[in-house]
Amino acid sequence: AGEDSGRRTARGQRPFRMRDTLPQFIENMMANDNYYAFSSPQYGGAYNIEQPHNAVHGRVGGDMGSVPTSSWDPIFWLNHNNVERLHFS
């Protein structure tokens, strides 16, 4: 039980761990040997691909912050290509 063990976002996810730098977060995420925990917080993965993915959508804002319009922003494609890159590395 960490300091964020009880907190959840509106979608039921654990909050992105800001105490980790992004490289630290990615390193911890890639060390996870359980695909389900890697891919979704639903399966208990505190370090999962959804956290940095969703953080980019939220922090960029504008079209990126809205599901119906996020694909209109070129950063959407960079974000999703990065998710694929991490997934297959």
Side-chain angles (χ1 to χ4, degrees), residues 2-3 9 16-17 21 24 29 35 40 51 67-68:
E3 64 187 63
T9 65
F16 186 67
R17 293 177 171 217
T21 65
Q24 288 170 330
M29 180 184 71
Y35 169 78
S40 175
Q51 300 294 344
V67 172

Side-chain angles (χ1 to χ4, degrees), residues 48-80:
N48 63 76
I49 195 70
E50 286 295 317
Q51 300 294 344
H53 163 263
N54 293 345
V56 171
H57 277 283
R59 291 195 179 131
V60 169
D63 288 333
M64 277 288 285
S66 172
V67 172
T69 62
S70 61
S71 66
W72 298 350
D73 193 318
I75 295 174
F76 171 90
W77 301 102
L78 293 172
N79 184 30
H80 283 253

